[in-house]
Amino acid sequence: MAIDSISNIASMTHYPKDEKKDEQKKLVFDASVLKFESQIPKEFIWPDDEKPSANVPELQVPLIDLGGFLSGDPVATMEASRFISEACQQHGFFLVVNHGVDAKLLADAHKYMDNFFLLPLRQKQRAQRKVGEHCGYASSFTGRFSTKLPWKETLSFRYSAENNSSKMVEDYLLNKMGNELRLLGRVYQDYCEAMSKLSLGIMELLAISLGVGRAHFREFFDKNDSIMRLNYYPPCQKPDLTLGTGPHCDPTSLTILHQDRVGGLQVFVDNEWHSISPNFEAFVVNIGDTFMALSNGRYKSCLHRAVVNSHKPRKSLAFFLCPEGDKVVTPPAELVSQNRPRVYPDFTWPMLLEFTQKHYRADMNTLQEFSNWVQQRNS
């Protein structure tokens, strides 16, 4: 569930002309070829201390039924907020069921992911993500990082809840991929709208759990300017050497993830990795760095990663909730006191996005490093 930074490492390395061309050639990630290779390129091999373990324990995360909250039941609402509070203080992960998202829309979102990622590489590259941007198609971020490359492909696009942006996703994908994939755009426009609605409901529960005004965070994110990402993890013949996504905390506010039925998500809790098994009826929700700052550090943005396997592709849909660009990320007054002073400086989401795009590869220390960067800029 990473919002990976974009740093053109290849362009910073000095090669003789032909050598550079050969190096870039090697770094092409074509899943249709590499998924059969018994020897994976060295750029995808992770350090020994970061390689995945064979067996990890299951993380016990609360399964929160949103049915009562969505129907206005005050008792069910308080119970849901209590479960969320406990999870967010411990590790920031929880599952939600009876979430109100249409089952056919979920099925279509997974189907059209297959339709896109099974296209020939050249066709997918029509939506190629450019250096310095966070939207578009990326085949493992080759040419941006030179080591510890993730074994995955992604397609990312922006979603805005502004009234005049009602077809933003549809128009973007139509422009990039052409009329033959028009339905892809419609499905993900609808999916993003459903995720935005679900996010705002969860924001209400987060506000209740923190003891601030129920509408506070909902209003803060009402016109959210968010990121949607489709993740595709091809099979890898050496899954013990690489990672689908490296260890990181999400720099965004809230992540809503829908996994297919192939496992791979792992969370670092109590100094060891734990898995979160797939549940097709549920969404996995986790707190990101921006909301950790909004809560003045009360709620945790937790380290997580994705592993791959040798026999089956894994897919997931990740919606990253982000505030509008001019919203100042500052905790509500109720969460600041003499005994609990401010932990992080004021910032806007575009500032943090710029930091992770141009200056820092997202990891477990992103928020603290960003805070230091902001304070140095302001001094």
Side-chain angles (χ1 to χ4, degrees):
M1 293 188 274
I3 298 290
D4 305 85
S5 55
I6 302 178
S7 175
N8 195 344
I9 301 298
S11 70
M12 293 165 59
T13 308
H14 299 288
Y15 297 90
K17 193 174 177 184
D18 292 337
E19 230 180 284
K20 182 173 181 179
K21 196 182 290 180
D22 289 344
E23 185 70 14
Q24 287 176 333
K25 246 178 157 180
K26 288 178 195 169
L27 291 176
V28 172
F29 184 81
D30 187 344
S32 66
V33 175
L34 285 175
K35 66 182 180 182
F36 298 114
E37 295 291 331
S38 58
Q39 298 297 319
I40 67 173
K42 68 181 187 307
E43 292 84 2
F44 296 91
I45 297 175
W46 285 64
D48 289 344
D49 62 341
E50 295 186 71
K51 284 172 184 165
S53 310
N55 294 299
V56 298
E58 177 78 9
L59 182 65
Q60 299 305 309
V61 289
L63 186 67
I64 297 169
D65 188 333
L66 294 183
F69 163 70
L70 293 174
S71 65
D73 181 336
V75 175
T77 296
M78 292 309 295
E79 185 176 59
S81 71
R82 182 172 58 81
F83 284 134
I84 286 175
S85 176
E86 290 171 2
C88 290
Q89 289 179 72
Q90 186 181 3
H91 47 61
F93 274 79
F94 54 94
L95 304 181
V96 295
V97 292
N98 292 327
H99 38 66
V101 178
D102 181 66
K104 184 179 184 304
L105 178 59
L106 269 173
D108 284 348
H110 280 274
K111 180 179 83 172
Y112 281 97
M113 217 180 337
D114 280 330
N115 290 358
F116 176 82
F117 285 111
L118 294 178
L119 290 170
L121 179 62
R122 187 173 294 276
Q123 209 168 336
K124 289 181 282 193
Q125 286 174 331
R126 282 155 61 180
Q128 186 68 43
R129 182 167 153 177
K130 295 175 183 174
V131 172
E133 295 181 359
H134 63 273
C135 293
Y137 168 73
S139 53
S140 179
F141 311 116
T142 55
R144 295 169 179 170
F145 305 131
S146 60
T147 60
K148 301 199 294 187
L149 291 179
W151 194 268
K152 69 174 176 180
E153 300 175 87
T154 62
L155 178 63
S156 309
F157 37 89
R158 180 182 165 212
Y159 166 79
S160 173
E162 279 276 14
N163 293 335
N164 61 357
S165 303
S166 60
K167 284 191 162 187
M168 174 182 280
V169 174
E170 189 174 344
D171 290 345
Y172 173 80
L173 291 172
L174 179 65
N175 176 260
K176 292 292 184 183
M177 298 305 300
N179 200 52
E180 65 269 30
L181 289 178
R182 177 180 287 273
L183 278 176
L184 180 103
R186 286 184 191 160
V187 165
Y188 292 119
Q189 181 73 52
D190 291 345
Y191 187 85
C192 286
E193 288 168 6
M195 292 300 98
S196 179
K197 182 180 178 182
L198 177 58
S199 298
L200 295 181
I202 293 170
M203 280 296 155
E204 271 194 56
L205 289 169
L206 286 166
I208 293 167
S209 72
L210 283 164
V212 304
R214 178 170 177 156
H216 183 89
F217 296 127
R218 185 185 189 100
E219 290 171 357
F220 187 82
F221 290 99
D222 184 49
K223 291 184 171 60
N224 62 87
D225 196 336
S226 298
I227 299 165
M228 180 71 212
R229 176 166 293 170
L230 317 182
N231 295 305
Y232 185 82
Y233 303 93
C236 176
Q237 298 310 308
K238 289 285 190 288
D240 55 325
L241 299 182
T242 192
L243 289 169
T245 300
H248 67 283
C249 298
D250 293 337
T252 47
S253 298
L254 191 76
T255 303
I256 301 185
L257 183 81
H258 195 266
Q259 305 188 78
D260 65 4
R261 293 181 170 88
V262 181
L265 174 62
Q266 296 185 351
V267 182
F268 196 69
V269 179
D270 296 332
N271 293 314
E272 65 175 332
W273 289 102
H274 297 72
S275 64
I276 296 183
S277 295
N279 179 342
F280 207 75
E281 307 302 314
F283 286 99
V284 182
V285 182
N286 69 275
I287 298 298
D289 288 340
T290 301
F291 195 84
M292 187 172 173
L294 274 173
S295 73
N296 201 29
R298 292 195 189 192
Y299 284 177
K300 307 302 178 192
S301 175
C302 192
L303 196 67
H304 54 284
R305 68 183 185 184
V307 299
V308 294
N309 66 78
S310 60
H311 55 281
K312 203 168 187 181
R314 175 178 177 259
K315 306 186 299 292
S316 66
L317 298 148
F319 181 82
F320 300 101
L321 182 71
C322 311
E324 287 175 283
D326 61 353
K327 293 279 190 183
V328 177
V329 176
T330 189
E334 297 95 321
L335 300 183
V336 182
S337 67
Q338 193 172 355
N339 294 330
R340 193 180 281 270
R342 287 288 299 274
V343 180
Y344 307 105
D346 285 353
F347 62 91
T348 62
W349 163 241
M351 289 168 63
L352 179 52
L353 182 60
E354 178 197 351
F355 182 72
T356 59
Q357 298 291 293
K358 297 180 180 178
H359 304 289
Y360 195 82
R361 187 174 182 174
D363 63 12
M364 65 185 295
N365 299 312
T366 303
L367 187 55
Q368 190 55 57
E369 292 295 330
F370 170 68
S371 297
N372 297 341
W373 182 73
V374 170
Q375 287 161 349
Q376 285 169 5
R377 278 179 45 165
N378 293 339
S379 61

